[in-house]
Amino acid sequence: MPDLLIELRSEEIPARMQRKAAGDLRKSVTDALVDAGLTYEAAREYWTPRRLVLDIRGLTARSGDVHEDIKGPSTKAPEQALAGFMRKAGLADISEAHIHTDPKKGDFYVAHISKPGRDAEAIIADVMPGIIRGFSWPKSMRWGKASAKPGSLKWVRPLQSIICTFGPETEDPTVIAFEVDGLVAGNTTSGHRFHAPDSFTVRRFDDYSGKLERARVVLDAERRKEIIASDARNLAFASGLELVEDEGLLDEVSGLVEWPVVLMGEFEEDFLQIPDDIIRLTIKTNQKCFVLRKPGNGLSNRFILVSNIEASDGGREIAHGNAKVVRARLSDALYFWNTDQADLPDRGKLTASAEKLGLDLAKPLDQRMAKLDQLGVTFHAKLGTQGERVERIAKLAAELAPVVADSLSSTSPLRGGRTAGPGGGTSPQATPAEVTPTPNPSPQGGGEQADIVQLATRAAMLAKADLTTEVVGEFPELQGVMGRIYAGLQGEHPSVAAAAEEHYKPQGPSDAVPTDPVAIAVALADKLDTLVGFWAIDEKPTGSKDPYALRRAALGVIRILVENSVKCEILTPISYSFGFLQALIIYVERRNAAKLSVDELKRGGFSSLSDAVWNDVKEFMNRDEIRIEQHEKYKILVSDLLSFFHDRLKVYLRDQGARHDLIDAVITPDSDDLLDITRRVEALGAFLDTEDGKNLLAGTKRAANILAAEEKKGTAIAESVEPSLFELDEEKNLFKAVTQSVSLATHAIENEDYSAAMSALAALREPVDSFFEAVLVNAEVENVRANRLALLALIRQATGAVADFSKISG
């Protein structure tokens, strides 16, 4: 069977585009060949910075002949129908069609179409120019004189040559010489830009890859990654160091070189006073280099770089040049680091914001939070500023903190699982030794609940403070990380410092959830405020569009609650948030209508709300009892948001392996304890995997179907079961079993022991089976029939305490 080799060689393709482009080339070519009637055994794509390659094995040499019968209209059909049939069948005249007869429909036309197969070479030459011209790149360009002509070829970088060879292993392959904008496909390419720039001819893939290797090009991206990783580890080991692995950087660097050469650079040890995260990101982002660490003792002042050439001096000048750039970038980073720990030059202007938010301007991170509020940075035009949002998060976190602490009461309510960050004071020259700072004394007045409320409030107030730091301005991906570090430096409680970083989590399905109670409370408050806010202004996800990542926020709430076993009825914090948000919206509308000055707008916030607005707050929310549901508009919004949580929970549970019908059986429109739903689904699934569960399901569904049929007919059903009307022992046994099971199941459900509730229901299996075998439900005597239907209703009621069995398949 013949093989097909395609290479598209160009100037350097950006690393982030290479893998997808190679996959798109494979799909486009194989789809086109299959559509044309060819088949193949295997196809694999390859990529380097300068070429996309496709190797197709076992491609058929010719497409098969096609025979098709196209049924047409009646021979008595009007001219228009006949003309349409001829166009569809490709006939020049109706006489080319055959007449068939049907006993019922009479005579009608049929076109017998025969299309001979085509040689694979002709098909390839026909489809390839269109694939290349229509190839989709995130960004593309035109070049040369031809770029002035309309419709000229576009490619990510100037396309330089095309290889297209086709043939079996036993023969010399054929060159399929199609043409695209003056480029004619051939069997010639070139190797490494510097080491082997001369052209050479190739035959098929094995010959091609071997010659490329000799021309200093490693074609397989995975092999380039292995070479880089292996050489980097060996070079680090030889210096008594360890490589800090970074799979994303490894992917990127393997797309920057065709012939990887691993070298080591060095910078001054003075820069090691900068936190490890900043050093790593500075070197990675600016120079695409790997950092090294001392075994068990922080980062080293050496780094790994990957060159694309084998230099005559062993890479000494290349390493020296990279080190110069790294030093310059680290000098900037050191300046940012020191500046963030110094007082802000406009500290005196921050007093109003500090007093409003309860901040201590003697502390650098507090100054940064006051600056964020004083700047009046807009979170959303309809939802106020970042400062106002932080206030809402702090209020909600304070409400959630005791709930979280109660759920986690089996361990210390203030368990701080991780180091708060570098300690050592707040001076610009502080050394970031990774030690846990001495926490502030526990807040006084009210015991552990008061402690966690104050800690959650403090953590929420500082959670966004690092957004105005110099380091985060340079490296946005360090938001949260720097908050933790700076909070540790100014002696915050470890839980407060941890919350600064962990409240953003989880940021994806594989990301860990926060585990510290304070971090959990702030993370929940942050995500719930986002969801409630965008629901209130009708900016909900639609279809595939979710510009504010609200699905991720909802899934984050679900994972935090479920994976930490936090029992929280989320309707309460949702309603609470809607109350404050409504006050804010009213406030924003009023201040916009009043056309206040910029300074007045910047000073805006809950502490500056007028009495009239606070009256609106009281109207929408009573601190003793949530009354938001009294307002129809917000009742609908709360219900809609809860339904959104249900949809996300269904996705989450299905990903965990739960059956969709079990989820539907457990969830009701008012279910707002997500942990409770999850536990019910788990217990129900385990129960239905047993024989007792399967048989009880069948019996319960039978009872439900009989009841539904009789209810539809209007048959009388007794309001309660009357034991004196029982005629058979099976009725008595079932009634006794149901009564006992309901009592046991109800007690178990109250204790949230759903396995015990299922065990109680399992006792119904035998009496239900016996009842249906011995008892005729639709007895002739009306009151007996009504009593037996009431007994069936009792079965439905008993199982319904756990789930709606009518929604379960099987």
Side-chain angles (χ1 to χ4, degrees), residues 249-378:
L249 180 60
L250 184 59
D251 268 334
E252 184 176 9
V253 170
S254 70
L256 298 175
V257 296
E258 289 194 317
W259 189 254
V261 178
V262 177
L263 304 170
M264 183 179 287
E266 187 175 358
F267 57 86
E268 287 75 10
E269 289 194 356
D270 289 346
F271 290 120
L272 293 179
Q273 66 180 286
I274 307 171
D276 291 354
D277 288 312
I278 302 178
I279 295 175
R280 180 182 58 80
L281 267 176
T282 299
I283 293 176
K284 171 185 175 178
T285 304
N286 292 293
Q287 286 303 105
K288 314 301 180 190
C289 296
F290 298 86
V291 294
L292 301 175
R293 62 171 167 246
K294 305 166 187 174
N297 193 27
L299 292 186
S300 164
N301 65 321
R302 297 185 183 182
F303 61 92
I304 293 291
L305 62 124
V306 182
S307 171
N308 194 35
I309 60 173
E310 291 181 352
S312 58
D313 65 350
R316 188 179 302 107
E317 282 301 314
I318 295 173
H320 177 69
N322 275 267
K324 285 175 63 178
V325 179
V326 166
R327 289 188 196 100
R329 299 304 184 196
L330 288 177
S331 294
D332 292 341
L334 181 60
Y335 168 78
F336 297 146
W337 166 247
N338 289 335
T339 300
D340 285 342
Q341 296 174 71
D343 288 337
L344 289 172
D346 57 349
R347 173 181 168 182
K349 299 179 181 179
L350 305 178
T351 304
S353 291
E355 290 177 353
K356 179 176 69 174
L357 301 178
L359 300 171
D360 181 0
L361 290 182
K363 298 180 177 181
L365 199 58
D366 290 57
Q367 294 178 34
R368 295 289 174 172
M369 182 59 234
K371 183 69 174 179
L372 181 64
D373 180 69
Q374 187 256 349
L375 287 172
V377 177
T378 300

